[in-house]
Amino acid sequence: MGTEFLQLETQIIDAIKTVFDPEIPVNVYDLGLIYEIDVDDDGKARIVMTLTSPNCPVAESLPAEVQEKTAAIDGITHVDLNLTFDPPWTKDMLSEEALLELGLL
């Protein structure tokens, strides 16, 4: 993978870090909701994400926001976002930043 694709992945992460779960004051990346980010040679991004629970009240809006913010990045030609609940999200997936933000460290 070339440097430009690593830069695109970094830009995707930065964009995703602007998406917040309205119930938790932490972005979805630091919450551990993003399982995978891949960008191919044609600028197609594939993102695998989850939600804190299948009954999450923002089940439709969070993935759509992640997809929109990723699609807005220069160099991204298409976004394929897959929502999964396998493995299910747990608090163990929180980043150190999220744990600090929530006062859990």
Side-chain angles (χ1 to χ4, degrees):
M1 181 182 297
T3 307
E4 64 189 80
F5 299 108
L6 289 175
Q7 288 174 339
L8 281 175
E9 285 186 17
T10 301
Q11 289 177 352
I12 291 170
I13 291 168
D14 290 345
I16 290 172
K17 283 186 172 186
T18 68
V19 179
F20 287 80
D21 185 315
E23 297 178 346
I24 307 169
V26 176
N27 70 70
V28 297
Y29 188 83
D30 286 332
L31 276 176
L33 299 181
I34 305 299
Y35 287 168
E36 193 175 322
I37 299 171
D38 289 310
V39 181
D40 73 10
D41 293 345
D42 297 324
K44 293 179 184 171
R46 189 174 82 77
I47 298 172
V48 179
M49 72 175 289
T50 193
L51 300 171
T52 53
S53 81
N55 301 323
C56 182
V58 290
E60 291 182 19
S61 65
L62 277 184
E65 193 174 348
V66 168
Q67 188 165 12
E68 287 169 18
K69 299 238 175 168
T70 302
I73 296 170
D74 282 343
I76 298 297
T77 59
H78 177 77
V79 180
D80 182 19
L81 189 135
N82 298 304
L83 193 60
T84 186
F85 293 99
D86 183 29
W89 181 86
T90 67
K91 290 181 180 167
D92 294 337
M93 296 174 177
L94 292 166
S95 71
E96 190 170 311
E97 291 84 1
L99 291 169
L100 286 169
E101 182 73 32
L102 297 171
L104 300 174
L105 264 186

